[in-house]
Amino acid sequence: MAAPAQRRPQFGTRCLTDPRQVFQHNAWDNVEWSAEQEEAAQKKVQENSQPLPAEKQEEFDNRANEYWNDFYTIHENHFFKDRHWLFTEFPELAPQQKPPRDAEENLLNGEDVPSTHTDTEFPGASASYRILEVGCGVGNTVFPILKTNNDPGLFVYCCDFSSTAVDLVKSNPEYDPSRCHAFVHDMSDTSAEYPIPDHSLDVIVLIFVLSALHPQKMQNSINRLARLLKPGGVLLLRDYGRYDMAQLRFKKGRCLSENFYVRGDGTRVYFFTQDELHDLFSNAGLEKVQNMVDRRLQVNRGKQLTMYRVWVQCKYRKVLAPT
């Protein structure tokens, strides 16, 4: 009989207690920063914070779609690894144990929650559990979900700003239109319709995608997504945190505005604090379930290098309607 597969431990379970052991593993969790390290990071960011001229910023904003299409044309599906860690961090993506329907659920699924779609038919209309990933790229989150979650009532939606990325998802042999619907969508365009009604999603996934938006467009984008959630539905996020190694590596001439940068390939990235994300979600009517900083020390044992990563992980729930 085969041994059961070992589950990947949640982030936060491997802590470095003896600095002499730093090269014993590839990564360490919950790494404490000294006051000197924090101060040095702040100084580094300040030194490179002179923003580019307004006309250059406007150019990067107007050509954002072009830059992301170029990115996926060059890298196709070879740049990002499949995110199998998602099921440990976000059990909502795994098969669900559904409780019996009760009066409150019947109320929430009834006429008290109006739909914005006049058509009763939409992709995944008959599904009992619906997940949307925004900023799906080439499917590094979507395909692990479809492979791992065999719930017959599951339907997964995925969208991306880049038509090239969506074409790569659809051309993947594992893409199954009976269980998944991929479409092109700009989440910052709040006038653009999603192909699903409001109040219809159980889970929305944002993995390293909100940071690619202009900061001034983030709140309206989250407000729009919140309307898609069912009461009790959750929004899951993992993204770049303030003073992450990637932020400290930016040179002068790459800053667009405070904590917002443009990479060499023209794509953009913002580095969040917990409070900023909490404000975005709570202003959209969502309540906090989780909001944590994941400070990790990644190690290149071959080159004897240490790299400090800072990510923020959030889970926010849409408030249940009063009974």
Side-chain angles (χ1 to χ4, degrees), residues 293-306:
V293 174
D294 179 13
R295 293 181 184 267
R296 308 192 90 209
L297 174 59
Q298 292 184 334
V299 175
N300 183 324
R301 289 189 275 182
K303 296 182 179 179
Q304 298 282 290
L305 294 175
T306 57

Side-chain angles (χ1 to χ4, degrees), residues 74-87:
I74 293 166
H75 298 289
E76 295 187 335
N77 59 353
H78 309 301
F79 192 82
F80 300 109
K81 296 179 181 178
D82 284 354
R83 296 160 173 156
H84 296 286
W85 53 265
L86 285 166
F87 306 100

Side-chain angles (χ1 to χ4, degrees), residues 83 85-86 90 133-135 141 205-209 237-238:
R83 296 160 173 156
W85 53 265
L86 285 166
F90 299 128
E133 185 193 12
V134 182
T141 295
V205 187
L206 297 170
I207 306 294
F208 296 102
V209 62
L237 173 140
R238 189 166 175 84

